[in-house]
Structures are given as C-alpha cells and as structure tokens.
Amino acid sequence: MRYKRNQFQKRGGRKNFSGGLNFGRKKGVNTERVKSVFLWIGEILLTIGVAAVLVYYFGVRIPVVGQSMSGTLENGETILVNRFAYQLFQPKPNDIIVFLPNGNKKSHYYIKRVIAVPGDTVQIIDGKVYVNGREFEEEIENPYMENGLLAEEPIVVGEDEYFVLGDNRNNSEDSRYANIGNVKKEHIEGKAWLLVSPLERFGLIR
C-alpha cells in the first residue's frame, strides 16, 4: 500500500486519465443529410397522395353488365369512371353516366346515356325520343323503340334528376321503367370516360 501511495504522490497526486473515455465530446449533426431525408420522405408522401387522388377521381374501374349499351359498350368490358367531372359541372345530354339505381348499394352499377336534364320534358312518340317537343339529337344510331313505357306520356325531369336511356333501346332497363325512373344526381358515381378492357377496344367513350 505504501508503494502504491508513493507512486501516486510522485505523479503529482493525480491519476492520468488522458487515455480514457471522454464523455464530454459532442458529435456533430449533419443537417444537410437530415434535410435531404425529410425532403425525400415528403416527396414520397406527395407522390402517394397525388396517385391516390388520381385513382379515386379518374381510375375507378367498373365492369359493363348486360347488353343495354351494346354498340357503345359490350357486356364484360371494363371502363374507368371520372368522379371529378360532376364535382364541377352538371351532366349534360349525351353524357354516359354510371349510377346506382335509386342509390341501392347492393346493386351493380348501371351505365346509361343522359337524354334529358332538370326542367326538360321527355316523351317517346312512335318509337322516337322527344325533349321539349323536339326530336332528341342522337350522337349514335338507334333502332326504333318498341315500347316507350312510362315515357309514352310526358315526363317532367325534376330538380337534380336526369332521364337516361341505354343505347340498345329495346334491351335496356332505364328511366322508362318505374323501378329505375329519373336518376338523382346524388346516385351518380361519375362519367364513363375510358374503355380499358379489352385492349383492342381501348379508347375514350363517346
């Protein structure tokens, strides 16, 4: 013990810790690297957000069920729906819309062509469609309608309602039928705008 004490005293009464750990050291933070990481994360989140918005408003895929739009759209084909269009504008005559009949969420989506808009009067006379007393200007060739059903008598289209018909007029359940009637805007999913499947038929819907 005396020997150790003497050695300690010879060194000036202090232990030399110069070779030990220095807990007082501070490591520098690379702020540029941190900024780049946050910028990278922000870009990823922005990309995901933009993609999600585009898919929600323009990329909803809807299958065509039945032959009611035959000539324009065929059974089993797949279309994309533009949900954004009617956030800014109102459906207009000859638009092809996608809707749930009477808002029934258990039903498949219906796809029909708008014939008349709020305030219009529709009537089917001798197999032809008349809107406000004038023959409707079709953008497609249509066969003679064998049965006007409800529209054999004048139908006034109410506020936020639309009278619709299928392009295959003699094989379409549409506004001529009591269980469909005029379509309320709140039940419209959007505008059919792009045919995506099959690929050989890919293109804008008119």
Side-chain angles (χ1 to χ4, degrees), residues 29 44 55 68 72 131 196:
V29 177
I44 291 176
V55 169
S68 71
T72 303
V131 178
V196 295

Side-chain angles (χ1 to χ4, degrees), residues 79-137:
I79 66 171
L80 296 186
V81 178
N82 181 348
R83 281 174 160 170
F84 187 68
Y86 300 140
Q87 301 290 325
L88 298 177
F89 307 103
Q90 303 298 321
K92 63 183 186 299
N94 277 306
D95 279 2
I96 297 177
I97 64 171
V98 177
F99 65 95
L100 288 172
N102 300 306
N104 182 5
K105 294 184 178 181
K106 294 182 179 180
S107 170
H108 67 80
Y109 283 103
Y110 278 44
I111 304 170
K112 308 292 179 185
R113 189 178 295 272
V114 174
I115 302 299
V117 299
D120 286 342
T121 299
V122 186
Q123 188 173 11
I124 296 174
I125 304 172
D126 296 329
K128 295 182 179 180
V129 185
Y130 289 82
V131 178
N132 301 325
R134 302 180 63 178
E135 188 174 343
F136 182 69
E137 294 184 10

Side-chain angles (χ1 to χ4, degrees), residues 3 5 12 31 39 53 56 97 106 128:
Y3 173 77
R5 188 180 300 115
T31 56
L39 182 61
V53 169
Y56 178 81
I97 64 171
K106 294 182 179 180
K128 295 182 179 180

Side-chain angles (χ1 to χ4, degrees), residues 155-166:
I155 294 177
V156 177
V157 183
E159 184 178 356
D160 288 331
E161 290 184 348
Y162 299 86
F163 182 93
V164 300
L165 293 173

